[in-house]
Amino acid sequence: MAEISRGERRAGLVNGFAAYGMWGLVPLFWPLLKPAGSLEILAHRMAWSLVFVAVSLALVRRWAWAGELLRQPRRLALVTVAAAVITVNWGVYIWAVNAGHVVEASLGYFINPLVTIAMGVLLLKERLRPAQWTAVGVGLAAVVVLTVGYGQPPWISLVLAFSFATYGLVKKKVDLGGVESLAAETAIQFLPALGYLLWLAAHGESSFVNDGPGHAALLASTGIVTALPLVCFGAAAIRVPLSTLGLLQYLAPVFQFLLGILYFHEAMPAERWAGFALVWVALTLLTWDALRTAHRSARALAAASVPRPVPAVAETPTSQV
């Protein structure tokens, strides 16, 4: 990051705000696609995303990764797992928004960092610092409070958080770029999605066919809505520090939460406020700990890079005869 100019960092911040802003405002888009059901919207999202990223990759002529991936069955299997997990995530999120659960969906992305940390401990045997343990404990307390408030566990939030955390874990092992990864995943999703859309059309239940060109264009634009934020995120990731991206990631659930309350007028009883407050306390602890650790690491690195003075060698006095 030291070699990146101020202009490049500014461009990275703009792209970061754009990516997380679009992800945060996407609940405004899914209701526009009614009367299409959640499964039809999901299928269109999978199919048109492949079209969009394939055109993008064709323009930049970046296909070498595909041949390498096909020759590595283990990575291909991981991509298949990632495609399955993100399908669950997308489907639940679309259904939640169109069913009036925007606030609960936003909670899923608030608690996602806590779930990611917990999975690191359980699956990767990572060791947590005391502040991280405290944050995870506060997050568990928040889930208990919300369970009491809802009368049942916040299933939508938990499914979104665990599916996205799993997706992130698998993608880390696959080690593909953002657009390339989306292309591989949607290529796996494409045939099932297309088959479902053709089945709807054959049974006269396709809103893409039945509800006019405007509605069809909106369904086709799901590919742009999916891929464009990812392109902006990729542009940000190479220009700004990870600590900055870590802070920007909270923009999306904050926007979703505000939309749920102010635009969709979803209820927020006292126990739900209490649960969200606990989650925010946990995230504040995580952010403080991450910034403190990054600051210490930067200071240690700076200290290590300062050349140490070479001690002067005392000259041996010359013997006088």
Side-chain angles (χ1 to χ4, degrees):
M1 287 296 169
E3 296 80 8
I4 295 177
S5 68
R6 183 176 299 180
E8 284 286 290
R9 291 192 181 187
R10 188 179 297 114
L13 282 174
V14 170
N15 277 285
F17 275 108
Y20 287 109
M22 283 186 279
W23 280 323
L25 296 175
V26 78
L28 296 173
F29 178 70
W30 303 125
L32 299 178
L33 303 182
K34 294 178 179 180
S38 298
L39 282 178
E40 183 179 2
I41 295 172
L42 174 63
H44 277 287
R45 185 179 190 181
M46 294 189 293
W48 291 107
S49 292
L50 177 61
V51 173
F52 182 84
V53 294
V55 170
S56 301
L57 290 171
L59 290 175
V60 297
R61 298 179 180 179
R62 204 160 70 206
W63 293 106
W65 60 271
E68 295 175 6
L69 181 63
L70 290 173
R71 290 191 293 271
Q72 298 175 324
R74 182 177 177 276
R75 289 181 78 199
L76 192 57
L78 287 172
V79 170
T80 303
V81 173
V85 172
I86 201 62
T87 298
V88 172
N89 184 274
W90 286 356
V92 171
Y93 186 78
I94 293 168
W95 174 85
V97 170
N98 284 353
H101 299 288
V102 176
V103 169
E104 192 175 348
S106 75
L107 176 64
Y109 294 104
F110 275 125
I111 66 176
N112 175 68
L114 301 171
V115 172
T116 300
I117 288 175
M119 290 179 68
V121 172
L122 296 174
L123 301 179
L124 304 180
K125 308 302 180 185
E126 294 178 354
R127 298 181 63 181
L128 299 187
R129 296 182 292 273
Q132 292 175 311
W133 276 116
T134 304
V136 171
V138 173
L140 288 174
V143 172
V144 172
V145 170
L146 289 164
T147 298
V148 173
Y150 281 108
Q152 61 180 5
W155 293 117
I156 294 172
S157 307
L158 294 174
V159 170
L160 290 175
F162 275 91
S163 60
F164 201 71
T166 304
Y167 178 65
L169 179 66
V170 174
K171 280 176 71 71
K172 186 176 181 179
K173 292 183 176 295
V174 173
D175 192 25
L176 268 179
V179 176
E180 292 87 347
S181 179
L182 182 63
E185 292 153 17
T186 51
I188 291 169
Q189 295 170 330
F190 182 78
L191 286 179
L194 181 62
Y196 178 69
L197 293 175
L198 291 175
W199 181 87
L200 286 178
H203 288 76
E205 298 176 10
S206 170
S207 67
F208 183 84
V209 174
N210 299 334
D211 290 86
H215 180 71
L218 279 173
L219 286 171
S221 67
T222 54
I224 299 175
V225 169
T226 299
L228 188 57
L230 191 62
V231 173
C232 292
F233 175 80
I238 61 174
R239 291 177 172 88
V240 299
L242 285 177
S243 58
T244 303
L245 281 179
L247 293 175
L248 288 177
Q249 72 173 328
Y250 297 125
L251 283 176
V254 165
F255 285 168
Q256 294 166 13
F257 176 76
L258 293 175
L259 283 174
I261 295 175
L262 302 177
Y263 183 81
F264 293 103
H265 304 293
E266 295 184 16
M268 280 294 292
E271 59 271 17
R272 192 176 294 185
W273 277 113
F276 269 84
L278 286 171
V279 170
W280 294 330
V281 168
L283 293 178
T284 301
L285 279 171
L286 276 185
T287 303
W288 168 78
D289 180 69
L291 292 175
R292 183 185 63 166
T293 303
H295 181 64
R296 285 181 175 177
S297 299
R299 288 180 61 184
L301 185 62
S305 63
V306 174
R308 297 180 179 179
V310 178
V313 178
E315 295 182 1
T316 304
T318 305
S319 302
Q320 295 184 354
V321 178

